[in-house]
Amino acid sequence: MPITPELYNAQIDNEDIQVDAWADTPLLQSLEEGGVDWPSSCRNGTCRTCVGRLKSGSVHYEIEWPGLSAEDKEAGCILPCVAYPDGNVVLMRGEY
Ligand code: FES
C-alpha cells in the first residue's frame, strides 16, 4: 500500500495566502498548485529566480548543493523549486 506523504501548509508572510504543501513536493509546485504567482525559471535550483526566505519552519533539499551560499542559508534564503517542506512553513518573497 502506498504511503501517503505528510501534508503541511505554506503561508506567504504579509499576504493572505495559505496553500497545501506536501512533504514530497517542491514548495514551488505547491505554491503554484495553490494559485500563488511566484517567480521561477530553471526549476532545478541554479538560477535563483525563485529565491525566497523562510520566516518560520524548515526545508530540505534532495540535490547536493542548491544555488545558495552558506551565507544565504544562514540568512534563511531558500529555493522553493527544489526545497521540500519539513513541516508548516511561512515564506517571505525575495532575498534579504
Ligand atoms: S527557479 Fe531557478 S533556482 Fe528556482
Side-chain angles (χ1 to χ4, degrees), residues 37-56:
D37 185 17
W38 192 275
S40 68
S41 180
C42 72
R43 307 180 77 92
N44 64 19
T46 53
C47 75
R48 298 173 62 99
T49 302
C50 68
V51 72
R53 276 182 300 149
L54 268 184
K55 184 173 184 191
S56 69

Side-chain angles (χ1 to χ4, degrees), residues 8-22:
Y8 307 122
N9 70 66
Q11 279 179 261
I12 316 283
D13 191 40
N14 287 328
E15 296 174 40
D16 193 17
I17 295 173
Q18 184 168 317
V19 302
D20 289 346
W22 296 94

Side-chain angles (χ1 to χ4, degrees), residues 1-6 22 24:
M1 204 170 93
I3 299 170
T4 306
E6 294 285 331
W22 296 94
D24 67 343

